Amino acid sequence: MFPYCTDPSTLEGLSWLSCYLTTSKHMMLFYSLGTVLLLLAITAPTALAFGFLGATSAKSHFAPLRWIGKTYIAIVRGVPDIAFFLFFVIALDQLFEWVRHEIKCPDWDQPIRQGNDFVVCAAAKLPLGDAPQWVHEVYGFSLAVLTFAIVFGAFAANVLFGAMRAVPHAQMETAYAYGMSKRQAFWRVLVPQMWVYALPGLSNLWMVLIKATPLLFLLGVEDIVYWARELGASKTPRFTDYPHPDWRMWYFLGLLVFYLLFTRLSEIVLEKIMRRLSHGQATAAGEAMRRADA
Amino acid sequence: MKKLILTTTALALTAGMALADTVRLGTEGAYPPYNFINDAGQVDGFERELGDELCKRASLTCEWVTNEWDSIIPNLVSGNYDAIIAGMSITDERKEKIDFTQPYTLPDPSAYVALSADVDLTNAVIAAQANTIQASFVAAAGAQLVEFATADEALAAVVNGEADAVLADKASLVDQVTSNDQLVFLEKEELIGGGIGMGLRKSDAELRGQFDAAIQSMKDDGTLNALITKWEIGATF
Amino acid sequence: MSCWQTIQDYGLRSIGIGERLLPKTDFTLCHQVTLIGSGMLWNIYFGIVALLAGFFLANALAVAKNSGSAWFRKPAEWFIFVFRGSPLFIQFFFGYFLFLSLKKLVPAAAPFTDAWLGALVVLFFNTAAYSAEIFYGALRTVPKGESEAADAYGFSGWKKFRRIIWPTSMRLAWPAYTNEAIFLFHATTLVFFSGFPAWRQEGDALYYASYFAEKTFNPFIPYPILAGYFILLTLIVVGVFGLINKRLNRHLPQEHRRKIRLRLRLIR
């Protein structure tokens, strides 16, 4: 990275460290921090969308839809979430391949499960066996995102469902009194009003989502935990220019600090948003602000 | 307009054909000197050089993929890569799931490494990498086995006093033992496994033939022996 | 081989009693139910011990955080911030490697690198921090009237806290604390995926569930079994905590009793 890094064996102290921390291998650790941010940026809106669908269907007047919505919310409750992560990532992959298999290879006569193997025809493979490496990586990452979105969607659905019920009934009745239809009242009154009730739950969820990102490691993505373990393990001079003893403790301390900073920053930002949203609302916080202004 | 779309499809198709020749080699990247990730973040080691040479001889375009050891066979079977080249010993149990090429190393004895030479192996705690021939050997021999996900961690367990000894391929231990004077080899060695080969899906007989021929040609002209000597993998053919 | 035989062989496999080798081929439903159930012993052990020990530390932390003196307040605040602000998964990893280096300095620290103690300590600190935040919130919301009434009766200092403030705060905190307990049990499944080695393949329920999923390439059997066990465990926790809640509220008129409403707190 730096010009003086050409012969690491002559370096000492800080200059050694600066070279060590900027090897291409370390860059992969830093990229994976970016992966975490990318995962959050994609998962949060997706999970919110899933959650909105779940909450809306749980409120639906059409019974089967309501049951689906309620089951979706309830099922994640009693079971450890990481079991869901481990489950979905295999199950989704097999589901997609099975669906493609049914469509693309209708005249396949062998069973899909042969002993301990899961066999689909070559055309149904996801990604296709001859696809380039980046497709495989993108596919793996998308599976992870989808898994996160499903699990966190259920949590978000729970929060939004509660928030929809917390919107004062009088507001809805007023809407009807003005002649709005159910649909209009839903979109124009309930949805805009529910956010302030949902925000404490959603910000809690955001913090939980941040803290769930290291679980990417369990989904087979080469993430920060993978690189921290790989880089921290003791290295001998034969295979690297930067030999060192077992430093895994320090790498994980680094990750710990990274997450502490990240959650603290989020807390501050979310507090700001909450203040803004509470303004003029018929809630305790809104009332307090009104009094403070008056 | 329609014509334009047709040409792009044709292009995409030919591109697809070209890509079909790309063979993806799956390795662990954590088992020096066989395979490891170097400072530049690239796969490196004995198997990197070997694999590149084999692909050249079989005129294949190869791409390297890393995958953790634990799931390296399932992910080959499910098509995430086309061949395993990761210091994998040929065993009957693995042969039930995948096919192997001919071995490209001679059977390397597995060695024990401990903090002191007088460890009593009969009731010691022995570390090994999970899903390796060494792990099944220790488990079957009835010793106290503790498994780790990577070879690094298994050895670190001995350094940290978690386990009394580690059992692994000798070549993978030599370097760590010479650079750490706390560690010693035990005299006892175990002859397990039948050499290391490339693992392929059972349905890929053609690819297996290509690699087999390439390995044979490297054996014949001595380049394989040169590589083995260069990376200190053990005995030469 | 009969299922009864399997239960005898593997029922206590997770704590090292019974058959040494895990089944390698011909996995039956009975194998999976037995081994995953056997692994639950670890989850229950971690959950119960961490909860019991964590309860006391949490109370101490909550009081310290509520204290006027910065000497008590600051350390408690930092402790709670560190354990609530970072992922438990990373805490496990860091804890394990920290104990490893401690062991080199102090030989007496050796047992901490085993899951039964090391992971327990991390879980203990973690649940203490989360519960402390709950208890702290409850301490802040104890009705002013109760405190004033205590003053009027001549209670002060320790006696006032012990007889009035603390019982009321427990009553207020209990519903949230029930959720914490449930999710602590769920969090115990992370232990063997986070650095702590599983000795002789003695792991928890999720360890065995993923073992089967990997070997059979079929997640649709082991994970639902695991889910079933955990739903059962959750129901038991809810039942026990409900009984305690009843006892805490026994003096209140019926309509004032606080019901436990389950809310999500999820992974930490």
Side-chain angles (χ1 to χ4, degrees), chain B residues 147-158:
Chain B
E147 295 181 310
F148 292 88
T150 66
D152 262 346
E153 287 173 317
L155 186 72
V158 175

Side-chain angles (χ1 to χ4, degrees), chain B residues 8 17 27-29 38 81 83 110 124 128 133-134 151 188 203 230 234:
Chain B
T8 38
M17 301 290 277
T27 192
E28 189 198 1
N38 63 16
Y81 33 81
S110 300
I133 47 171
Q134 287 86 9
K188 193 169 181 216
S203 51
K230 177 185 171 195

Side-chain angles (χ1 to χ4, degrees), chain C residues 13-33:
Chain C
R13 176 63 178 77
S14 65
I15 48 174
I17 301 171
E19 195 68 20
R20 178 185 287 277
L21 292 176
L22 293 183
K24 294 261 186 222
T25 45
D26 307 324
F27 305 96
T28 60
L29 191 62
C30 184
H31 274 140
Q32 307 205 8
V33 173

